[in-house]
Amino acid sequence: MFRSESITSRRSETVLRLLKLRKASGRRESGRFLFEGKKLFSEALDSKMPLAAVYATEENLTFAENELIRVGADSVRLFSVTDEVYMKLTDESAPQGLLCECLIPYELHTRSNIVPVSPGNRLFCAVGIQDPGNLGAIIRSAHAFGVGRLIISGCADLYNTKTVRGAMGALFRTKISVCSDITGALEALTNAGYSPFAAVLSESASPLHLLDEDPTRFYVVGSEGRGLEKEVVDACKGQVYIPMEKGSESLNAAVAASVLMFSQYIKRL
């Protein structure tokens, strides 16, 4: 049985430290991030994420204990917190009473302009996705549609609580490369035999449904508002567009990314 520690003060040292993790700077400095909810907690345990601590209200304490026992997570610290303390920690509109503190998995999520690849590794690239919910949805689709490595650049923080929530546990199982020089990374991948295709609306772009299956091809999608910068498009080997009904507005970035990923996934079945 786990022995839980109690936190009853909203001004405790632990609470003040955790509040710093709500900001990207605090997450970078500490190498830790937060997420909430029973489902994500169980997903993290099953994915062997490096959990450091769990903070649970009284009604969720037994559940947290049982889950930690189930996977033998003896090194994870368990804290019992009052409802008042939990309300100080949460940023959820509907607090779930269970907060997890996790170490950033640097081996799973790398920060380098050199993208590690292996034979048959399927790629996808997202550039400039500033909305954390959209980024989370893209991560969720990447896992669902067999993307071996997701490449992102200029996007929302991976460990923003909205990103983690939107990914629905896929963040814990998806290999991600965060690149600061996306044009350099794309050029290096092209030299390694990959074929990046920019998702753009242009006369030179190929309609998605007419492209044959090619394991070296991967798509690069930009934000809904700005799209892809010219230098990113120029660094790609080709261009692609998603056919739509006339008069239709551009697709949400996460929806467009999902369509592109699914188009390749379905051809492999």
Side-chain angles (χ1 to χ4, degrees):
M1 182 174 179
F2 272 78
R3 176 181 294 179
S4 62
E5 306 168 59
S6 296
I7 300 177
T8 58
S9 172
R10 297 174 57 179
R11 297 183 179 180
S12 73
E13 184 177 323
T14 299
V15 169
L16 296 178
R17 179 180 62 80
L18 291 175
L19 290 176
K20 293 180 180 179
L21 302 185
R22 291 300 181 197
K23 296 183 178 180
S25 58
R27 294 190 287 270
R28 285 193 299 269
E29 290 173 6
S30 66
R32 300 178 178 221
F33 68 104
L34 303 174
F35 58 89
E36 294 187 55
K38 291 181 178 180
K39 181 173 175 56
L40 283 179
F41 171 47
S42 297
E43 292 262 13
L45 289 175
D46 291 338
S47 300
K48 295 180 170 53
M49 288 291 286
L51 288 180
V54 179
Y55 306 85
T57 57
E58 184 178 354
E59 63 180 309
N60 291 290
L61 194 60
T62 299
F63 172 82
E65 288 178 346
N66 290 339
E67 281 294 277
L68 291 171
I69 292 170
R70 177 178 66 84
V71 298
D74 300 332
S75 62
V76 180
R77 297 178 69 183
L78 178 60
F79 292 86
S80 171
V81 301
T82 63
D83 290 343
E84 183 182 35
V85 167
Y86 195 87
M87 292 305 295
K88 179 73 173 179
L89 293 173
T90 185
D91 67 350
E92 295 267 10
S93 57
Q96 300 184 51
L98 196 151
L99 177 74
C100 299
E101 179 184 0
C102 188
L103 302 179
I104 291 176
Y106 291 112
E107 291 185 4
L108 185 65
H109 304 152
T110 63
R111 289 184 177 272
S112 172
N113 293 318
I114 300 175
V115 179
V117 294
S118 56
N121 199 19
R122 298 282 178 161
L123 306 177
F124 190 85
C125 181
V127 180
I129 309 299
Q130 291 295 316
D131 182 89
N134 277 342
L135 180 59
I138 289 172
I139 295 169
R140 186 177 180 182
S141 291
H143 181 262
F145 299 134
V147 173
R149 180 170 293 275
L150 176 64
I151 304 163
I152 66 172
S153 181
C155 293
D157 188 76
L158 269 181
Y159 310 108
N160 181 297
T161 52
K162 292 181 180 178
T163 305
V164 182
R165 191 184 312 132
M168 290 295 289
L171 181 68
F172 307 147
R173 299 185 293 275
T174 304
K175 294 179 180 179
I176 301 174
S177 288
V178 183
C179 300
S180 58
D181 177 14
I182 190 58
T183 56
L186 291 173
E187 289 168 357
L189 287 167
T190 299
N191 292 335
Y194 281 89
S195 300
F197 269 56
V200 293
L201 289 174
S202 74
E203 293 182 357
S204 57
S206 301
L208 178 62
H209 63 288
L210 294 184
L211 290 175
D212 295 330
E213 160 65 356
D214 180 355
T216 69
R217 184 189 303 120
F218 68 93
Y219 299 124
V220 183
V221 69
S223 66
E224 182 178 350
R226 298 182 59 183
L228 294 170
E229 299 289 345
K230 183 179 183 300
E231 58 265 29
V232 177
V233 176
D234 291 344
C236 292
K237 197 171 182 179
Q239 300 176 12
V240 63
Y241 73 90
I242 300 171
M244 296 186 295
E245 289 292 318
K246 290 183 178 180
S248 299
E249 293 290 336
S250 62
L251 293 175
N252 168 279
V255 173
S258 298
V259 170
L260 292 167
M261 285 186 262
F262 180 73
S263 72
Q264 291 186 304
Y265 178 73
I266 194 70
K267 291 176 181 177
R268 303 197 299 269
L269 297 181

